[in-house]
Amino acid sequence: MSSTNAKTLIFWSAMLVSLTILLCLASTLSAYYSSPEGLERVSGSSHYTPSIYLGVENESTDTGPNSTPCATTTEINAEIPPLIDPNLLNKTDDASAAVPTVNLFVPIATTRPSSLFARILHPLHPLGISDSVISNSTIPTNNFYTNMFVGDRDQPANLYPYMVWWNQGVGGDYGLAISHTTKSQRAYGPNPEANPVEYYLNPIGIRSISFSAVEFDASMTMSLTSPSAFSINVIMSPSTSKYGSSRSLLIPLVQGTGFISGNYYNLQPQFNSIVGFKSLTARSSPRSGVRKYVADLYDGTSWGIYATVPSGQTFSLSLSSSSTIKASARVNNVLVQIAEIVNEGALDNHAGMYATSATVFGIATGSQGTYTIDYLSSGSNNAGSLLLFALPHHVTSFYSSMSSRALGFTMDSQTKGTMSAYSTSQLVMVETIPTEIKFAPWTSVPGKSANYTSRAIGLISKAAILEVMQDFDAQTNLDSVYFSGKALDKFAMICYVAHFILKDSTITATCLTKLKASFSRFARNSQIYPLKYDNTYKGIVSGIALSTGNSLDDFGNTYYNDHHFQYGYHIHAAAVIGYIDSDLGGTWVANNKEYVNTLVRDVANPSVIDIYFPFSRSFSWFHGHSWAKGLFESGDGKDEESSSEDYNHAYAIKLWGQVVGDASMEARGAMMLAIMKRAMNSYMLMNNTNTIQPPNFIRNKVSGILFENKVDHTTYFGTQIQFIQGIHMIPITPVSSYIRSPGFVQQEWTSLLSSVAPTLTDGWKGILYANLALYDPSSSYKFFTSSSFQNAYLDGGASLTWYLAYAAGVGGTTS
């Protein structure tokens, strides 16, 4: 065996060892879902197959949403071995190993949040979600399906590659509409001939085909159950006054799924299209019990309709009009799967099995880590696995065995390039995680290293002496979680420089004493608008909107906007304070651990075992970055503006994990950074060689605002170029150079910023020149040491002390 193969075997053996813990924890998932979930082995197979109740209330033993299809097991094709072999899971960890293997998803805590946070019910009740589900589940607030329980509930949920929404009578149709758009349908503007264009978007409302039923009309209802990070169950029901309560259509919405699948219970299926059906053809069955139809639409697309029909029932479809396909009779417990036909053979091979939900698990061993999105499934098919679509950043990090699962065809996504088809129930990704980046200035510029000359130390010391004399309370005791956090973090970095770079005990003592006092106001929750614990969505929110009645106050914090941005600053400040205090022999970390951990749990709870917060509220383990939009209706779906404040929150989690000795948290933060680096440089930070975003958009260098359905090179607060580019820079920290490569920064500076930066007179000027240190630290250092430098060039979250220390710390000075 080669050395490389031996290392690979050791690595994956370690991964499988750690999964023992995860599978044991799975037995307690019933505390999270509204119905129990377990893991069942398939007889004669080496692969474990999850069997899940979908969490529908008032379940029946014979008919209804929780009958047989949800409890059937998966047939495993022996020709496609499972990626995870459970026979290896009975090993135990070797505690003496030189490099321990760390489970990335260990709960931070499972206790009820402190009574420090007053309990509230959120003013926005999730529509279509019962009180029982609210009580027994955690509801993600920044997930792909928020549109389905806020506002008018008729805006899209972007599953990728498909888009679905509740059609409430448009075109006379009632049901779940399905759309898939291609890059040829995108609109570019405002001048489509420009290069770069300012934005591109995909059309919405093109109802290619929809799940419906003859019984559906304006009195139908849509309820939601089993909310999770990757999926939710949609239950559509006709009027109970007309038809009683035993009729429903159950559709699990799962990210990346190759089919949209629905289970009909005591309904007469109907399928509608606003595009129009040109023809409907019955085709040969791909499998016993599966009926196949192909619907050709007037736009040139074709859609496959596959029905898995229990023995003893008849099922046939026919065109009743150019816009309607109707089943011949009412059916029960019939699974219907719909997909656009790109590769008909692949659809045939995978029809009959569908994804019901997904989970994620992962480990890290030193700087090597892996994470797996594991899809739970129901039914059976010829392939023995699911048809899934992977995003570009998944594919480039796939474990080598994934190549055998590739099907060789793609579908366009909305804003993340083309997705690749795989026959698998697991997406397994491998990353090298940044274990070496900690608190000290760090750079990826080749040949550069810290050089704190005596002159540099003198200049940094002069700046620190002046800046520690500022009024910390005046800058931190604000009515904004965001701006308070930025100020706390600014002063934390001054304290760091004073202690670890200047090694000046006097400046350190002054800075740390003042900063601890300012931070303690938040740790006591006695700021202007104290934080509350929301029993509805199970999270920590500012009380500002409860007082003002404006959901957008403090950037929408009360409605779960931007939590990772805002709390990320607080967590990072706490990590720095704790790092310094621990070095001085203090106990600050122990005294503040519960408070800071609560903030981490709100934005990045790593486990469904912790029932007091949703799993990974902000960061999407599917998309590879966070979504900032919370409980707000949006036709273009979730969005994120500031990539840099996103990775700053992951960096903060990594450092806080280091300070408190939580190896899982530290490694998880590092894994998030590794994934963000890959995803952000695919979708949000565009090098000249980027092939994922449209060629006529990449010259913008940054996405501006990345939505699920459009990309707009702008900001929510202005259209000046320094705003658009700069919001993807702040704050400049040691991890900035890890995400923003020297080559990318140089391209952005040369093409967009070098002519603008010298003309600025406000804090954006300092931001741009601090970012310059990521590829040209010498020019950055010269700017901040220039006799013409003014404090007006410093943003409210920035200090001259840190900018000087960073530029010098990454090789900006030689004398």
Side-chain angles (χ1 to χ4, degrees):
M1 180 183 295
S2 69
S3 174
T4 300
N5 289 338
K7 290 179 180 178
T8 300
L9 179 60
I10 292 170
F11 171 74
W12 282 99
S13 295
M15 187 198 77
L16 294 169
V17 165
S18 73
L19 291 178
T20 305
I21 302 171
L22 292 171
L23 291 177
C24 291
L25 291 177
S27 65
T28 65
L29 284 175
S30 59
Y32 172 71
Y33 294 106
S34 51
S35 288
E37 172 181 329
L39 296 174
E40 296 180 355
R41 290 180 182 266
V42 178
S43 177
S45 169
S46 63
H47 183 69
Y48 73 86
T49 300
S51 170
I52 180 173
Y53 290 101
L54 293 177
V56 182
E57 298 163 55
N58 301 319
E59 63 185 73
S60 169
T61 57
D62 51 358
T63 62
N66 277 39
S67 55
T68 306
C70 299
T72 57
T73 56
T74 303
E75 296 181 8
I76 302 300
N77 187 334
E79 296 179 359
I80 305 180
L83 295 177
I84 302 300
D85 182 356
N87 292 326
L88 300 177
L89 296 179
N90 57 1
K91 296 183 178 181
T92 57
D93 280 314
D94 182 1
S96 64
V99 181
T101 296
V102 179
N103 175 2
L104 298 180
F105 295 98
V106 174
I108 299 170
T110 57
T111 54
R112 186 181 300 275
S114 168
S115 58
L116 185 73
F117 307 104
R119 271 47 177 173
I120 64 165
L121 291 177
H122 201 277
L124 180 65
H125 189 279
L127 302 175
I129 300 181
S130 70
D131 290 342
S132 174
V133 172
I134 293 172
S135 298
N136 296 308
S137 304
T138 54
I139 303 172
T141 52
N142 297 55
N143 214 326
F144 70 94
Y145 50 76
T146 305
N147 276 334
M148 307 194 88
F149 61 80
V150 300
D152 292 330
R153 307 183 67 199
D154 59 356
Q155 296 302 308
N158 290 276
L159 304 183
Y160 273 62
Y162 294 105
M163 173 190 298
V164 302
W165 67 97
W166 182 11
N167 192 63
Q168 301 176 19
V170 176
D173 178 30
Y174 298 88
L176 188 80
I178 306 171
S179 176
H180 173 254
T181 57
T182 66
K183 59 185 178 182
S184 65
Q185 295 172 275
R186 291 172 181 162
Y188 298 88
N191 176 10
E193 303 302 319
N195 189 357
V197 292
E198 291 180 19
Y199 62 81
Y200 74 86
L201 54 85
N202 300 278
I204 59 176
I206 301 178
R207 178 168 40 86
S208 293
I209 192 169
S210 65
F211 277 99
S212 186
V214 171
E215 294 87 346
F216 288 174
D217 56 24
S219 61
M220 71 170 293
T221 61
M222 180 177 76
S223 59
L224 306 170
T225 66
S226 300
S228 72
F230 299 94
S231 65
I232 196 165
N233 294 328
V234 173
I235 302 174
M236 293 185 156
S237 304
S239 169
T240 55
S241 62
K242 293 181 183 179
Y243 301 103
S245 60
S246 64
R247 304 190 186 195
S248 62
L249 168 61
L250 169 63
I251 305 172
L253 301 181
V254 188
Q255 289 184 304
T257 184
F259 291 95
I260 309 299
S261 304
N263 286 290
Y264 279 91
Y265 299 99
N266 295 312
L267 290 172
Q268 184 176 355
Q270 181 172 295
F271 309 93
N272 303 306
S273 174
I274 200 171
V275 177
F277 298 116
K278 186 177 181 180
S279 65
L280 178 70
T281 307
R283 298 281 178 89
S284 299
S285 171
R287 179 181 175 87
S288 176
V290 175
R291 314 290 172 80
K292 175 186 175 183
Y293 294 84
V294 173
D296 295 315
L297 274 58
Y298 282 104
D299 63 0
T301 63
S302 296
W303 293 72
I305 305 173
Y306 296 83
T308 301
V309 184
S311 176
Q313 291 193 59
T314 59
F315 180 91
S316 64
L317 298 178
S318 61
L319 277 173
S320 62
S321 73
S322 62
S323 61
T324 304
I325 294 171
K326 192 178 296 185
S328 58
R330 179 158 54 97
V331 298
N332 185 45
N333 206 12
V334 167
L335 168 69
V336 175
Q337 296 176 277
I338 296 176
E340 183 179 2
I341 297 177
V342 178
N343 184 313
E344 189 168 351
L347 295 184
D348 288 352
N349 206 30
H350 290 85
M353 182 187 295
Y354 64 100
T356 57
S357 63
T359 58
V360 62
F361 54 81
I363 61 154
T365 305
S367 62
Q368 296 300 306
T370 181
Y371 69 105
T372 298
I373 302 176
D374 189 36
Y375 285 80
L376 310 185
S377 62
S378 185
S380 58
N381 60 16
N382 294 334
S385 56
L386 293 167
L387 171 61
L388 300 176
F389 284 93
L391 287 165
H393 80 277
H394 297 144
V395 175
T396 57
S397 62
F398 269 158
Y399 179 57
S400 58
S401 291
M402 289 297 300
S403 62
S404 66
R405 309 299 179 97
L407 292 171
F409 69 96
T410 63
M411 289 183 73
D412 288 337
S413 76
Q414 289 87 319
T415 60
K416 291 184 165 73
T418 58
M419 301 182 75
S420 302
Y422 283 78
S423 179
T424 183
S425 293
Q426 295 178 330
L427 303 181
V428 185
M429 283 70 63
V430 180
E431 294 285 1
T432 299
I433 65 176
T435 55
E436 74 280 12
I437 304 175
K438 300 186 184 297
F439 291 86
W442 185 92
T443 183
S444 60
V445 179
K448 295 294 184 180
S449 60
N451 185 15
Y452 291 112
T453 63
S454 58
R455 179 174 182 269
I457 290 295
L459 292 172
I460 297 169
S461 180
K462 180 181 178 181
I465 291 171
L466 292 174
E467 289 181 322
V468 298
M469 297 308 295
Q470 295 178 16
D471 189 334
F472 286 28
D473 282 349
Q475 295 186 45
T476 61
N477 187 23
L478 308 176
D479 61 359
S480 165
V481 175
Y482 178 69
F483 289 115
S484 295
K486 287 188 65 173
L488 287 169
D489 209 14
K490 172 183 75 172
F491 290 122
M493 294 313 296
I494 295 172
C495 294
Y496 171 85
V497 172
H499 183 64
F500 288 104
I501 296 176
L502 298 177
K503 303 185 188 304
D504 188 313
S505 59
T506 300
I507 301 177
T508 299
T510 300
C511 185
L512 197 58
T513 299
K514 295 173 70 173
L515 181 56
K516 285 181 178 179
S518 293
F519 194 94
S520 68
R521 177 177 293 105
F522 296 88
R524 298 191 311 270
N525 204 27
S526 59
Q527 62 269 38
I528 295 174
Y529 288 108
L531 300 178
K532 315 285 187 181
Y533 178 74
D534 167 26
N535 273 308
T536 303
Y537 299 98
K538 299 180 176 61
I540 300 295
V541 298
S542 166
I544 187 168
L546 304 176
S547 298
T548 66
N550 185 350
S551 61
L552 294 175
D553 277 348
D554 200 10
F555 306 97
N557 176 289
T558 310
Y559 284 69
Y560 292 96
N561 269 11
D562 296 358
H563 276 206
H564 58 311
F565 297 162
Q566 300 182 5
Y567 297 156
Y569 282 109
H570 290 255
I571 296 163
H572 185 264
V576 175
I577 296 170
Y579 188 53
I580 300 169
D581 184 75
S582 296
D583 192 59
L584 294 172
T587 60
W588 189 91
V589 170
N591 297 336
N592 290 271
K593 180 179 178 179
E594 182 180 1
Y595 166 72
V596 180
N597 273 356
T598 301
L599 299 184
V600 179
R601 290 167 72 188
D602 176 80
V603 297
N605 168 29
S607 174
V608 296
I609 304 303
D610 181 358
I611 63 173
Y612 294 103
F613 297 90
F615 173 82
S616 196
R617 182 190 307 283
S618 301
F619 181 71
S620 168
W621 289 90
F622 183 80
H623 283 280
H625 61 82
S626 301
W627 293 115
K629 189 182 293 293
L631 300 175
F632 292 91
E633 187 178 32
S634 173
D636 287 307
K638 295 301 181 187
D639 70 74
E640 177 158 89
E641 185 176 58
S642 178
S643 60
S644 50
E645 288 175 309
D646 187 359
Y647 60 73
N648 182 63
H649 106 274
Y651 176 55
I653 289 170
K654 176 185 183 295
L655 295 185
W656 179 247
Q658 176 188 332
V659 168
V660 299
D662 186 332
S664 177
M665 184 189 296
E666 182 179 3
R668 184 171 60 256
M671 174 61 85
M672 290 165 65
L673 288 171
I675 298 170
M676 286 177 176
K677 177 180 181 179
R678 189 180 298 275
M680 288 176 176
N681 282 281
S682 297
Y683 317 127
M684 305 173 86
L685 308 175
M686 297 167 290
N687 191 290
N688 290 345
T689 59
N690 186 291
T691 58
I692 296 173
Q693 292 295 5
N696 60 343
F697 189 79
I698 63 174
R699 288 186 184 179
N700 289 315
K701 309 319 301 174
V702 301
S703 53
I705 307 174
L706 176 75
F707 292 79
E708 289 178 298
N709 190 60
K710 75 176 180 183
V711 188
D712 195 351
H713 189 243
T714 188
T715 75
Y716 279 113
F717 54 90
T719 59
Q720 289 92 324
I721 192 66
Q722 64 269 27
F723 296 175
I724 303 171
Q725 309 302 127
I727 198 61
H728 288 270
M729 301 173 184
I730 59 172
I732 303 297
T733 71
V735 82
S736 298
S737 188
Y738 172 73
I739 303 289
R740 299 171 64 86
S741 71
F744 167 79
V745 175
Q746 182 176 14
Q747 291 172 20
E748 181 185 39
W749 177 264
T750 302
S751 63
L752 296 176
L753 301 175
S754 60
S755 61
V756 174
T759 69
L760 303 178
T761 58
D762 59 11
W764 291 103
K765 185 166 190 164
I767 291 168
L768 299 190
Y769 277 100
N771 177 72
L772 182 61
L774 305 184
Y775 104 89
D776 183 1
S778 296
S779 294
S780 176
Y781 182 76
K782 288 177 183 177
F783 169 78
F784 289 110
T785 57
S786 169
S787 59
S788 61
F789 178 83
Q790 301 177 33
N791 285 334
Y793 301 158
L794 295 173
D795 169 70
S799 70
L800 181 59
T801 301
W802 171 246
Y803 281 167
L804 287 171
Y806 182 77
V810 294
T813 179
T814 57
S815 62

